[in-house]
Amino acid sequence: MTITFLIAPDFSPERFAGWHMLNTALQRRSGVHLHLVTPATAHEQSEVMATGQADLVYANPFDAVDMIRTQGYVPFARPAQRFDEMVIATGSESGVATVEDLRPGCRIALTENRDVKLIGLRLLEPADLAESHIEWVHVDSYQAAARKAIKGEVEAAFFLADAYASLTKLTRSHLRVLVESAIHDISHVLLAHPRLAGDLAAIEKAFLGIGQIQGDVELLDALGFPHGFEVMSQEQAEFMIDLMDTLLD
Amino acid sequence: MRLTDMAQPAEPSKQSRLTYFDGSSRIVYVTDLEVPFPQGRLIVSSTDLNGIITHANDAFVEMSGYSRDELIGAPHHILRHPDMPKVAFKGLWDDVAAGKKWHGYVKNLRKDGFYYWVYATAVPNIRNGVIVGYTSVRRKPSRTRINELIPLYKQWLDQERSVS
């Protein structure tokens, strides 16, 4: 039996090798054959989900809401001490010094990452800016968002905090961070389809064991999860969903 | 758990007696000093069905001025500021008990008598179809909106005082 392991498309391209290393290690340690699926976009991810073939999912928190509460996926682990945070930045010469300097009609560049948009909108509230007050400029990558902010084509750009940190030092030197979230309660989550009940214990043990064997450091570095994985209970996931619900207004 | 009277702060302060919905009361001290909402953070807490705090994140602890041990097990109205009229909370408990979301702008009182403004959202925690508690998340509010609400809250408070 082969288990399909779907990875949310919002990881940085340089982590691609890390996910394959993880997949190989998980197969070796659990004895379960895993087929890694890495959709390039949220749309591609939706297509895979619609087939009903995703057995294991590394889901972003926004998508996890529906997967857990509507589709019955079971949360079991998450990256340890690694939360989903976001950054709002402007070009260093833009004249925008704080979020409150942004005005209705301002242009903001963003990728299709819905979590980043949701949290970013909440961080814009002190400036009296709602979604309809903004001219959204959609881009394919965080690098493109950075370029638009630096060139002054947008007043600000939204970034996943990890993606912002992975921009080159030179690029970041031409940007100014207006605000960075520090929520610490929202994270990606590993989900299992209920049909995996028989294999889940072995898979969970393999995930939680990553980091305990010599050589795992390289794997975790490649993934960008230096602290490995930790258990995420159903209640912890439900609490995270409640928290996200408060942001959806 | 009944709250004890607040300790008088070192800064100039006004004393008042707050009476809560459960009939308990205590003396609180308020100063004119505001603590700004921490940039980029959310203040998160959960309570049981009786409004007793069961979870407080680090931002909640830091902004309240209390220790985590003082907060867990205390009623959530430990943060109630005397400038907040009861009517501003009208519907909060009705909404969440009915399974609905509630929003409002709230001025909170810290242990040291300082205050901070928040935009609060409360949701019921529904597990297996049953409400088991409530979670409240506070965000940095719009200053424009607060400035609009301050005179309104004062007007409501004056009305409540004239009735009682």
Side-chain angles (χ1 to χ4, degrees):
Chain A
M1 177 185 167
T2 298
I3 286 173
T4 300
F5 182 16
L6 174 76
I7 310 297
D10 49 10
F11 61 89
S12 302
E14 66 267 25
R15 304 296 183 202
F16 194 74
W19 283 105
H20 280 276
M21 289 165 70
L22 173 69
N23 196 51
T24 303
L26 291 171
Q27 289 187 89
R28 202 166 51 234
R29 296 178 200 183
S30 68
V32 175
H33 187 248
L34 299 172
H35 171 56
L36 193 65
V37 177
T38 55
T41 64
H43 180 68
E44 273 185 35
Q45 175 183 285
S46 299
E47 287 181 340
V48 177
M49 291 302 299
T51 66
Q53 292 172 348
D55 302 302
L56 272 184
V57 184
Y58 175 69
N60 79 40
F62 195 97
D63 294 329
V65 174
D66 180 62
M67 292 179 197
I68 293 171
R69 289 206 169 156
T70 307
Q71 301 180 53
Y73 277 83
V74 179
F76 66 95
R78 64 178 164 190
Q81 299 174 50
R82 187 181 179 282
F83 301 103
D84 287 13
E85 306 292 353
M86 68 87 61
V87 165
I88 302 177
T90 186
S92 57
E93 296 176 5
S94 73
V96 175
T98 69
V99 164
E100 284 84 350
D101 291 334
L102 295 169
R103 295 280 178 260
C106 66
R107 295 158 298 174
I108 294 182
L110 81 170
T111 62
E112 65 173 5
N113 189 311
R114 289 178 293 174
D115 305 64
V116 169
K117 185 177 182 184
L118 175 67
I119 297 170
L121 279 168
R122 301 292 79 88
L123 296 180
L124 289 178
E125 286 171 337
D128 297 312
L129 290 174
E131 187 164 6
S132 60
H133 297 138
I134 296 158
E135 186 183 327
W136 298 101
V137 179
H138 294 274
V139 294
D140 290 333
S141 67
Y142 290 113
Q143 287 81 1
R147 277 196 299 274
K148 287 199 176 290
I150 291 168
K151 286 181 183 173
E153 294 172 9
V154 294
E155 280 74 43
F158 284 3
F159 299 88
L160 193 65
D162 277 0
Y164 185 83
S166 69
L167 295 172
T168 65
K169 199 172 174 182
L170 179 65
T171 300
R172 278 183 283 132
S173 73
H174 291 294
L175 292 166
R176 180 188 305 124
V177 174
L178 298 178
V179 62
E180 178 167 4
S181 72
I183 296 171
H184 299 320
D185 277 310
I186 296 176
S187 69
H188 277 51
V189 54
L190 283 153
L191 305 173
H193 193 278
R195 65 176 164 261
L196 276 194
D199 292 311
L200 185 54
I203 293 168
E204 182 177 341
K205 187 178 174 194
F207 267 105
L208 298 176
I210 298 288
Q212 294 174 3
I213 295 176
Q214 201 171 13
D216 280 355
V217 172
E218 188 185 341
L219 190 167
L220 292 175
D221 275 353
L223 271 176
F225 300 162
H227 304 289
F229 295 90
E230 64 183 10
V231 171
M232 186 175 210
S233 67
Q234 182 83 32
E235 176 51 33
Q236 286 171 318
E238 293 282 357
F239 176 73
M240 185 176 84
I241 292 171
D242 283 341
L243 198 157
M244 291 189 62
D245 188 28
T246 70
L247 304 179
L248 289 167
D249 57 7
Chain B
M1 171 185 158
R2 292 200 167 224
L3 298 174
T4 55
D5 292 343
M6 272 176 65
Q8 188 168 6
E11 292 76 12
S13 60
K14 280 193 294 191
Q15 175 187 318
S16 52
R17 176 168 286 280
L18 271 184
T19 301
Y20 305 104
F21 73 98
D22 61 0
S24 65
S25 73
R26 70 164 176 161
I27 291 171
V28 298
Y29 296 91
V30 300
T31 73
D32 287 332
L33 302 165
E34 179 173 8
V35 176
F37 194 100
Q39 281 278 31
R41 298 182 76 178
L42 298 179
I43 295 173
V44 181
S45 61
S46 297
T47 70
D48 65 14
L49 296 174
N50 297 314
I52 302 299
I53 299 169
T54 54
H55 167 79
N57 76 346
D58 290 345
F60 183 99
V61 175
E62 288 165 27
M63 284 300 281
S64 73
Y66 292 95
S67 70
R68 191 179 303 278
D69 284 348
E70 288 173 312
L71 292 169
I72 302 296
H76 209 279
H77 59 235
I78 193 171
L79 301 173
R80 172 87 176 279
H81 195 288
D83 286 353
M84 284 302 296
K86 289 186 178 74
V87 71
F89 296 111
K90 190 175 184 302
L92 192 167
W93 287 101
D94 288 347
D95 282 354
V96 293
K100 293 188 284 190
K101 207 187 287 190
W102 177 89
H103 310 279
Y105 289 85
V106 180
K107 185 178 187 178
N108 281 146
L109 177 63
R110 291 164 48 96
K111 183 181 181 181
D112 57 11
F114 290 33
Y115 69 89
Y116 59 99
W117 279 97
V118 300
Y119 177 65
T121 304
V123 293
N125 306 128
I126 302 172
R127 306 288 183 265
N128 300 312
V130 177
I131 298 175
V132 298
Y134 306 104
T135 291
S136 175
V137 174
R138 274 80 81 193
R139 317 201 290 252
K140 185 176 181 181
S142 151
R143 185 55 59 176
T144 313
R145 191 76 186 110
I146 291 170
N147 290 338
E148 288 167 357
L149 285 170
I150 287 172
L152 186 64
Y153 281 5
K154 185 173 183 315
Q155 184 187 332
W156 288 344
L157 204 58
D158 290 344
Q159 286 169 358
E160 286 172 8
R161 283 177 182 148
S162 67
V163 170
S164 60

